[in-house]
Amino acid sequence: MRLLVTGAAGLLGRELLRTADHEVVPAYHSQVVPGGVQFDVRRRDVVREVIRSVRPDGIIHTAYKRDDWAATADGAVNVALEADGARLVFVSSDAVFGPREAAYTEHELPCPITPYGAAKAAAETAILAIRPGAVIARTSIIVGSDGRSGEEQRVRRFAAGEPGVFYTGNIRCPVHVSDLASALLELLVSDVIGVTHVAGPQAISRFDLGRLIALRDGLDPQALPSAPGTPSNIRLDSRGTQDVLQTRLRPASEFLLSRR
């Protein structure tokens, strides 16, 4: 399969490039990826030109910009509009939901409360209308092993005394980047269509996640500042998707303690 990976310079994009057993063409916006193509998803003409040039059999669309509707929502729509004939996997987010006590399952409709969540929800809706055979892969906080993820960087900064806190009332279902990449590559070649949830099975606060990262990296977890923050419990129930995957989505406490 000839695979186009957008957002190839990001944490998830790099992992897909490293692990994909396909002919992969990386697409990047500003940070150059060797062997890749420059790709501004906000411009449909550029998206059309790149896709027609690459002629991919599959596309995994990871590109987004949190504070940019055009990049996150319109860009995803541009890719869907031009992806004729290619299997499309779109990486979405738990931000399409608002806080509640019960976990969200795959069949539930978005109910975002933030601009970023609204952009991802708009992209989901448009993609499913344009490409009914596409896969929407909602995920949560992504953690790596090399210190490059946002959570790992925050742990190092806050442990060093920089301003900021981890919120004990912010609950998510973190996933390891290698588990996520493996699951997306499985979904790419599967017959699954529609919405999937690809997050870890363990609901954990950002503070407790930070403490686990600190322990893994030999830092003092007691040095991490915490505060309750506004309660924000957003959990993805990924059991339905896990049942169709060979990739096991590991809990944070396992993948952080294993140092993988």
Side-chain angles (χ1 to χ4, degrees), residues 11 14 64 141-144 146-158 166 206 209 213:
L11 177 71
R14 290 194 305 270
Y64 75 97
I141 299 172
I142 305 173
V143 179
D146 58 4
R148 295 185 181 182
S149 72
E151 291 301 303
E152 293 167 284
Q153 292 174 17
R154 276 188 284 274
V155 167
R156 291 199 300 272
R157 292 200 307 269
F158 296 170
F166 285 102
R206 292 191 101 112
L209 177 63
I213 293 171

Side-chain angles (χ1 to χ4, degrees), residues 193-215:
I193 62 172
V195 177
T196 63
H197 284 181
V198 190
Q202 180 182 13
I204 187 172
S205 74
R206 292 191 101 112
F207 175 60
D208 287 334
L209 177 63
R211 287 168 60 90
L212 285 175
I213 293 171
L215 284 170

Side-chain angles (χ1 to χ4, degrees), residues 10-50:
L11 177 71
L12 176 57
R14 290 194 305 270
E15 186 67 12
L16 288 165
L17 299 185
R18 187 183 71 84
T19 59
D21 187 21
H22 301 289
E23 178 188 358
V24 183
V25 178
Y28 62 87
H29 180 230
S30 55
Q31 183 179 339
V32 176
V33 177
V37 292
Q38 203 281 334
F39 195 67
D40 187 344
V41 296
R42 297 168 298 183
R43 292 184 51 186
R44 186 176 172 187
D45 60 331
V46 172
V47 172
R48 180 186 302 116
E49 180 181 349
V50 168

Side-chain angles (χ1 to χ4, degrees), residues 85-197:
R87 168 75 160 164
L88 176 60
V89 178
F90 169 64
V91 180
S92 189
S93 167
D94 57 10
V96 301
F97 296 120
R100 75 177 191 188
E101 288 303 310
Y104 288 94
T105 58
E106 288 94 337
H107 74 274
E108 296 190 70
L109 296 177
C111 51
I113 62 170
T114 65
Y116 171 64
K120 282 289 192 181
E124 286 190 9
T125 303
I127 289 170
L128 291 174
I130 297 166
R131 302 288 172 205
V135 176
I136 306 296
R138 295 172 180 155
T139 192
S140 190
I141 299 172
I142 305 173
V143 179
S145 300
D146 58 4
R148 295 185 181 182
S149 72
E151 291 301 303
E152 293 167 284
Q153 292 174 17
R154 276 188 284 274
V155 167
R156 291 199 300 272
R157 292 200 307 269
F158 296 170
E162 293 188 24
V165 296
F166 285 102
Y167 293 118
T168 59
N170 190 311
I171 310 295
R172 296 293 186 271
C173 295
V175 64
H176 194 280
V177 67
S178 67
D179 295 351
L180 177 57
S182 177
L184 295 175
L185 291 166
E186 268 197 70
L187 291 169
L188 176 71
V189 298
S190 74
D191 58 3
V192 172
I193 62 172
V195 177
T196 63
H197 284 181

